[in-house]
Amino acid sequence: MPVFSAPEQKNRFESSNTAPEKMIWGQLRPHIILPKPLKHAFAKVPRPLFVPPSHQECCYHDDHIPLTEKGPHQRFLLSPLLLSKLLVHADLEMIAHKKVLILSGGTGYSAALFGQMEADCLMVETNNDLADQARENLQSYTRVIVESSPSHLINELLDEQLFDIIFIDGGAVQTIPQFLIVRLRPSGFLLALQSKHPSTTNELCLCYGMLVPHTGPASILFDAWAPLNQEFTDKPSFCF
């Protein structure tokens, strides 16, 4: 067996491994046990396709990537590790043909992961430009539908649909809307990041990874830092 120096070993590793594989083995596997469907999805979905050109070279780093300019409705692509720590709590071995709702899906990366795992996915994005980008990015994912809607009309858009999994993407929320919980099937659950303390900025906030079932108390999965998703932020009310 040939013996390689440290630089040679590094070059050999970089030349024989793709960026998704290095992300999986360097970031995800040391922290969580990846089910085969999720590992396969992370390996197959090209993350650079879902980020702005300025971030394509660093899109596999363990960072949250801004998808829009700074402002009150800024949207982020969650870091690979944080996203995987949420999704791993879904029953991914049985995900095929399950009905999934993704809110604040941005340019469609998480929807592509579910689509790669053959889930029937509805993604709803409030930002029209991001929704258009997601439609373009997800053309080959026949099980994924992208809709654009203002946040206050999402409940009407969903009509009477029920879902096995609801995932709030794009950052941490202050509160989880009750109208989403009633959209879950009896065995369904919601995955989201929920901020620990009230915040009105897009700076990183301390949050919980949450699993909220259709019935019963919510489960706290882990602590994390994430930007705030302003679409699910309590709006301050006027008072004297």
Side-chain angles (χ1 to χ4, degrees):
M1 180 179 294
V3 177
F4 296 91
S5 65
E8 288 173 332
Q9 287 176 339
K10 180 176 182 293
N11 293 336
R12 187 166 176 259
F13 174 78
E14 289 179 345
S15 64
S16 62
N17 291 270
T18 65
E21 289 172 337
K22 286 188 281 188
M23 176 188 72
I24 291 168
W25 292 98
Q27 296 178 40
L28 309 187
R29 286 296 296 271
H31 294 90
I32 57 175
I33 298 175
L34 284 175
K36 287 183 180 180
L38 186 57
K39 183 174 72 173
H40 178 76
F42 270 114
K44 289 294 184 180
V45 175
R47 192 170 168 88
L49 183 66
F50 298 88
V51 302
S54 58
H55 287 79
Q56 288 183 354
E57 291 187 0
C58 61
C59 68
Y60 286 105
H61 294 182
D62 188 26
D63 294 314
H64 307 297
I65 296 178
L67 299 176
T68 58
E69 297 294 332
K70 289 185 177 180
H73 301 286
Q74 189 174 13
R75 186 81 77 255
F76 292 84
L77 179 65
L78 294 176
S79 71
L81 178 57
L82 186 49
L83 180 60
S84 64
K85 288 178 72 174
L86 279 169
L87 299 189
V88 76
H89 291 279
D91 186 5
L92 298 173
E93 299 292 346
M94 303 291 292
I95 194 66
H97 305 293
K98 290 289 183 68
K99 195 168 182 181
V100 178
L101 170 65
I102 298 177
L103 300 172
S104 300
T107 54
Y109 182 69
S110 60
L113 294 176
F114 277 109
Q116 186 69 46
M117 293 184 286
E118 299 188 351
D120 295 318
C121 182
L122 171 62
M123 178 189 133
V124 181
E125 174 55 61
T126 60
N127 183 303
N128 291 330
D129 291 337
L130 291 180
D132 288 340
Q133 292 178 51
R135 291 187 186 98
E136 183 176 349
N137 294 337
L138 298 167
Q139 288 181 22
S140 61
Y141 296 89
T142 58
R143 295 185 179 277
V144 179
I145 298 173
V146 178
E147 297 284 0
S148 178
S149 172
S151 56
H152 67 280
L153 296 178
I154 290 177
N155 194 29
E156 295 181 18
L157 172 69
L158 298 179
D159 196 22
E160 299 298 323
Q161 296 183 74
L162 297 177
F163 300 89
D164 298 293
I165 300 171
I166 296 177
F167 173 45
I168 303 179
D169 201 355
V173 304
Q174 286 192 352
T175 57
I176 297 172
Q178 184 60 34
F179 81 84
L180 293 177
I181 306 303
V182 299
R183 296 291 180 182
L184 291 168
R185 289 175 173 165
S187 60
F189 55 87
L190 179 147
L191 293 168
L193 298 168
Q194 185 169 8
S195 61
K196 289 186 176 182
H197 307 290
S199 175
T200 58
T201 71
N202 283 327
E203 300 298 325
L204 291 180
C205 63
L206 189 59
C207 58
Y208 295 116
M210 301 290 293
L211 187 152
V212 186
H214 173 71
T215 57
S219 299
I220 298 175
L221 305 174
F222 54 83
D223 291 339
W225 288 91
L228 199 66
N229 182 340
Q230 293 285 347
E231 297 301 330
F232 293 91
T233 300
D234 295 333
K235 303 299 187 294
S237 57
F238 178 79
C239 61
F240 289 101

